[in-house]
Amino acid sequence: ADREEVSEALRAAARDRLAVVPWGAGVALAHEPAPPRYDVALDLSGLDRIVEYDPEDLTLTAECSITVTALRETLAARGQELPLEAAHAGRATLGGLLAADTSGSRRLRFGAPHDRILGARFVLADGTLVRSGGKVVKNVAGYATHRLLCGSHGALAVIVEASLKLAPAPEERVALCFDMDAAVLSDAARWA
């Protein structure tokens, strides 16, 4: 239900030498290798709140199990967005997005999750609650450990809260669709 419970659970698991897998929505698990072993699946679904939202500074702090859709809805009301994509956005969580460091084609323009994270609270395997970074864009205090967690798939720590930099939402979006089949794709002359 909160970061202190996560800390307590990991402290107990470490004491009993239990392997723990952080569990959000499980959206990306089909693309992940199975862990060699785990004894406990740590359900993080209770951590689903926006902690702080500062529209003027284009920053937001949220708990790890808030869904991408919930973030989008909150930000759209103020003409802002978190320019990251996630498959199954209605179920995909912020923590999962950060842990996988995944995004879509807009990554080239807006960066990946590790580029958008300003700071984080996370829990180490021994139950220690740690904070890295901050809640403002111009923060240069200490090492950017929070960025190291992006792409670690929960192996280094359990992310419980993250502060992110936002972007103004575009006034208009356009999607281009092309109809192709295997024959068109395999035609080398066409693509030369």
Side-chain angles (χ1 to χ4, degrees):
D2 58 36
R3 60 182 174 239
E4 286 75 21
E5 269 191 8
V6 174
S7 175
E8 184 181 326
L10 288 175
R11 194 174 312 111
R15 180 190 63 235
D16 296 340
R17 298 186 178 277
L18 300 174
V20 179
V21 172
W23 183 269
V27 170
L29 288 181
H31 309 291
E32 298 293 326
R37 100 171 221 267
Y38 80 92
D39 303 306
V40 176
L42 185 60
D43 180 2
L44 301 168
S45 61
L47 300 170
D48 63 352
R49 293 169 291 277
I50 292 177
V51 176
E52 187 177 335
Y53 176 31
D54 190 349
E56 290 75 31
D57 283 341
L58 290 168
T59 60
L60 173 128
T61 301
E63 292 178 325
C64 65
S65 283
I66 192 165
T67 64
V68 173
T69 296
L71 285 173
R72 285 180 182 160
E73 290 169 357
T74 299
L75 299 172
R78 296 296 299 260
Q80 297 176 344
E81 69 171 347
L82 178 61
L84 301 172
E85 290 95 22
H88 310 289
R91 290 187 2 246
T93 63
L94 175 61
L97 190 72
L98 294 171
D101 199 29
T102 186
S103 63
S105 59
R106 295 188 335 148
R107 176 183 207 131
L108 297 173
R109 167 75 170 89
F110 294 104
H114 70 264
D115 298 311
R116 310 253 16 125
I117 191 167
L118 300 169
R121 288 183 191 263
F122 49 95
V123 183
L124 301 176
D126 67 356
T128 303
L129 185 60
V130 181
R131 183 179 188 153
S132 171
K135 295 180 182 179
V136 294
V137 176
K138 296 281 186 179
N139 186 357
V140 292
Y143 294 106
T145 308
H146 50 282
R147 289 187 178 175
L148 183 64
L149 298 176
C150 294
S152 71
H153 303 276
L156 301 176
V158 177
I159 301 169
V160 292
E161 184 180 294
S163 296
L164 305 150
K165 56 184 166 181
L166 308 172
E171 291 181 22
E172 181 179 10
R173 293 184 194 271
V174 177
L176 302 175
C177 299
F178 297 94
D179 186 26
M180 293 188 196
D181 58 17
V184 172
L185 289 172
S186 63
D187 182 4
R190 178 183 178 111
W191 302 104

